[in-house]
Structure formats: C-alpha cells, structure tokens
Amino acid sequence: MTSFTDITDRLAELAIEVPSWAYGNSGTRFKVFGSAGTPRSVEEKIADAAQVHTFTGLAPSVALHIPWDLVDDYGKLAAYAEDLGVRLGTINSNTFQDDDYKLGSLAHHDREVRAKAIQHNLDCIEIMNQTGSRDLKIWLADGTNYPGQGDIRSRQDWLAESLAEIYSQIGEGQRLVLEYKFFEPAFYHTDVPDWGSSYAQVSALGERAVVCLDTGHHAPGTNIEFIVAQLLRLGKLGSFDFNSRFYADDDLIVGAADPFQLFRIMVEVIRGGGFGAGSDVALMLDQCHNIEAKIPGQIRSVLNVQEMTARALLLDKEALAAAQADGDVLLANEIFMDAFYTDVRRDLAAWREERGLPADPMRAYLASGYQEQIEADRVGGAQAGWN
Ligand code: PSV
Ligand code: MN
C-alpha cells in the first residue's frame, strides 16, 4: 500500500503553467462577459497569475499569447514577473486572427500568406530569446470547410515546409510544440487534426519538436490516456493544455467535467516518466473563464490537478502489476479504483500548511482582499480580451 507520506516529496514537484488569457475576458464564440477587476494590461494579467502561485504554490509560470500579450520590452516584463515570484513560460503564436489567414496560415496555398505566418513565429522565437522561454507552441486554425475546397495533401507538404523554416530558428534550449485539434474553426478537415498528424510533422523536424495534447481537442469517447502513453513511449509528448470538455473545445476548469479522466491521464503521465523534476513535459492550463471568477477559477484548476496527481501517485503499482501479471481483471481494476476513490483533501490541506501555504487556497484568496482591490483599482481603460 502506498500512503500519503510516501508521496509528499513527489507532490512537491508538481508545477502547472497558467495561461495569460484566462485572466482576461475570453470564452466563447457568443457573448464574452466583462467582469469587475479584469486586467487591462499584460502586467495586470501576470499580477493575477502570480496570485494563483502565491496561494497554491503550484503555478510558477505564465504562458503568453502573441499578439494578445505584446509589449515593447520583454526583458522588463520577465523581470516584472520575477519580482512577483513567477516566470514567463510558453510563447503561443497566433496565426488565426488576421484577415490574411482566412484560408489558413502555415498550410495556406499562397506562399505569401505562409511567409507571413512563418515570420510571425520567428518573431515569437525572438520574444522567447528575450523572455528565456523554452517552448514555442503552435496551434493552427488551418483547414477547410468543404470537400474539394483545398488540396488536403499539398497542404501537408506546405505545412511541413513552413514548420521546417520555423524549426531552423529554434535555439538549442528551445522546443517547437505542435498542438492538434480535430475540428473548429475548420469543419471539414483540419491540417493538424490528431496526435498522429502532429507526431508525423514534428518527427520530420527533429528532436526539439514535440506534440502538445489539449484535452479538449478530441472526439467524445477518445481514450486520451492511451495517447499520453503512446506519445511518452515515443518521447514526443511535449506539453498538455489542460481543460475540461463536455462536448467539444469547452475550455472549462480541468477536472470539472470528468475528474476520473484527469486521474487516468495523470496515472499515465507518472507511469511514462512525464511527471516531476526530471521530466520535460509541461503541464499547462488552456482555459477561459466566461461566467466564473477568473483567479478563483484558476486556483480551482490547479488544485484539481494537484488532487488527481496525488491520487495517481497513491496508485499501488506493485500490487497492480501483480494483479495484471496474474490476469486478475477485477483485482487490477479494484486497485486502480482504490487510488481514484481516495479522498486526499485533508492530507493535502495539512501538506500545504507544512509548507507555509494556506490549507484552503480558495478561501484564503477570497479573504485576502486582492479581488476587492483590483475591482476598485481597475476601473476604466480597456479590459484585456482576445485582441
Ligand atoms: C485552440 O483552441 C487553443 O486550444 C490553442 O491552444 C490556442 O492557443 C488557445 O486555444 C487559445 O485560443
Ligand atoms: Mn490549447
């Protein structure tokens, strides 16, 4: 049996990257609701992200999205973040918001549009050089809506060429991370729809190109933990974009829709060496809070990941391996479920207190006065959002 005291050191290795866009007004294709205290600048987004780390100790870095997080001086921004106790993480490029990208970006049929999208990614690498970020994350809205609309095979070749140009500028300690999504905004075909397509593209590039798995980007019923196991086996799982989905790319709080799925994913992450200090797998959130409070929404998210990680660490691997070797189907399942059903909340509260963190980060944040302060201070100006 594995007990909570056996896993405390490993738990301390958990680090989750939060997305800058979770603090701004973002969310759905429909109404994006404003809220009091929403950041008006990149600095204010980072200040909010730093609160999540202060109260949980779980979120030491913030991912940026370019151009949403454009500033003149990234060295200064990195220093500002450091003063608040966090660092700048993954740089997400964005080739889906300009009119030029209507029919695609890196996989577009027109070389000029591809060149523009490539240049944007090279600009992002320049930002990474200034922020000290390791990862350039590329997600493409590229695809088509109607059969016959585009040459789906040539688009793979164009995409490969574009990615190779970007990859040639990826520095020694940097990585190109390619995210996949099976539909939306393109509805007939997507140029990087699934892990296999992403894997094929990044494998052709080289060692420092890896796959990003966004949990919301799969068809209902997909066995995501199998994909995790497979990519870890192949050494190509670069990062996660964690969120919850009921239907499609819902961008809800991770662990909210299906905590059991999050548990199963974390079991495979740990099993495959993707967790902890020695691992290169980045655990990021990619969420939007449209109706819920944003900072508490992020706090709840990282706590959910922590809870399911603790349960996954509690899995009695030896007993499970023995039951599997015996072909004991029901015992193996029982051992697996025992770990999932273990309520770790009280142990985690005590574990936090031992480390000088609040036992209940949600309540501690709400009592801190930060929310009231930003609601009073941030009146006027344009609230940050998708643009
Ligand atoms: C696309 O749906 C995505 O998951 C990508 O990661 C983007 O960078 C992010 O959402 C924000 O639009
Ligand atoms: Mn994503």
Side-chain angles (χ1 to χ4, degrees):
M1 276 294 279
T2 315
S3 72
F4 196 84
T5 44
D6 299 328
I7 67 164
T8 51
D9 288 348
R10 294 231 66 200
L11 258 186
E13 295 174 37
L14 182 60
I16 303 156
E17 186 160 302
V18 291
S20 68
W21 53 100
Y23 305 94
N25 293 325
S26 56
T28 72
R29 295 192 285 139
F30 302 97
K31 168 77 173 160
V32 174
F33 295 102
S35 56
T38 292
R40 298 157 301 175
S41 65
V42 183
E43 286 79 5
E44 288 179 353
K45 290 187 219 174
I46 290 170
D48 288 2
Q51 290 293 306
V52 177
H53 191 47
T54 301
F55 286 93
T56 65
L58 290 171
S61 60
V62 192
L64 300 183
H65 215 295
I66 310 298
W68 302 339
D69 297 319
L70 267 184
V71 294
D72 290 334
D73 187 340
Y74 281 96
K76 212 168 132 193
L77 190 70
Y80 171 81
E82 233 166 83
D83 280 348
L84 294 172
V86 292
R87 62 190 162 69
L88 304 179
T90 301
I91 300 297
N92 290 257
S93 62
N94 176 328
T95 55
F96 49 87
Q97 279 192 328
D98 274 16
D99 286 339
D100 284 339
Y101 300 136
K102 184 164 135 181
L103 299 180
S105 62
L106 295 179
H108 198 287
H109 60 272
D110 182 341
R111 166 75 212 171
E112 264 186 43
V113 178
R114 295 204 299 278
K116 174 178 166 163
I118 291 166
Q119 187 55 50
H120 169 72
N121 280 282
L122 299 184
D123 294 344
C124 287
I125 295 175
E126 188 40 44
I127 292 173
M128 290 160 67
N129 295 337
Q130 291 168 37
T131 55
S133 302
R134 180 187 59 176
D135 291 345
L136 169 69
K137 190 166 106 232
I138 300 178
W139 171 72
L140 301 170
D142 292 46
T144 60
N145 275 357
Y146 296 98
Q149 178 192 323
D151 180 344
I152 59 176
R153 181 170 163 150
S154 292
R155 288 175 72 100
Q156 283 301 300
D157 299 332
W158 294 322
L159 174 60
E161 283 169 26
S162 301
L163 289 172
E165 280 196 48
I166 298 165
Y167 187 71
S168 72
Q169 299 305 311
I170 286 281
E172 269 305 310
Q174 297 175 338
R175 308 189 306 178
L176 183 158
V177 186
L178 184 62
E179 185 173 345
Y180 59 91
K181 183 175 181 180
F182 75 120
F183 88 113
E184 200 194 33
F187 294 116
Y188 165 59
H189 107 284
T190 291
D191 289 304
V192 191
D194 50 33
W195 75 269
S197 304
S198 177
Y199 176 76
Q201 288 287 352
V202 298
S203 294
L205 296 174
E207 286 252 306
R208 280 170 285 131
V210 283
V211 176
C212 172
L213 186 162
D214 183 313
T215 46
H217 291 185
H218 304 87
T222 301
N223 182 335
I224 296 176
E225 59 272 24
F226 175 79
I227 299 172
V228 172
Q230 184 70 297
L231 284 171
L232 280 169
R233 262 189 80 238
L234 297 166
K236 282 292 185 189
L237 182 60
S239 57
F240 280 95
D241 270 3
F242 276 134
N243 48 48
S244 274
R245 52 78 60 75
F246 285 98
Y247 301 102
D249 191 23
D250 301 339
D251 280 330
L252 301 177
I253 289 173
V254 58
D258 187 352
F260 183 39
Q261 180 186 63
L262 179 57
F263 167 81
R264 299 190 314 260
I265 289 172
M266 289 314 299
V267 167
E268 282 308 326
V269 169
I270 294 162
R271 161 72 180 85
F275 173 76
S279 158
D280 284 339
V281 177
L283 307 179
M284 298 186 291
L285 304 182
D286 177 11
Q287 298 176 180
C288 301
H289 304 296
N290 196 21
I291 57 166
E292 66 275 45
K294 299 172 199 306
I295 298 171
Q298 288 286 288
I299 292 176
R300 172 57 64 219
S301 305
V302 297
L303 294 179
N304 284 353
V305 176
Q306 186 183 41
E307 231 175 272
M308 290 306 138
T309 302
R311 295 191 195 192
L313 286 168
L314 284 172
L315 179 63
D316 191 337
K317 291 187 284 297
E318 287 73 33
L320 180 63
Q324 289 171 345
D326 285 348
D328 195 333
V329 176
L330 291 180
L331 180 60
N333 179 244
E334 187 181 310
I335 291 165
F336 196 83
M337 297 311 291
D338 269 349
F340 173 63
Y341 284 128
T342 309
D343 188 347
V344 290
R345 287 175 294 182
R346 287 171 69 142
D347 283 327
L348 279 175
W351 181 89
R352 284 184 202 111
E353 278 187 319
E354 277 164 28
R355 282 160 181 78
L357 292 162
D360 183 342
M362 283 293 273
R363 294 291 150 316
Y365 169 75
L366 294 174
S368 71
Y370 183 85
Q371 189 67 38
E372 290 78 2
Q373 191 65 48
I374 58 175
E375 289 184 14
D377 290 350
R378 295 178 185 171
V379 177
Q383 296 195 325
W386 291 124
N387 295 305

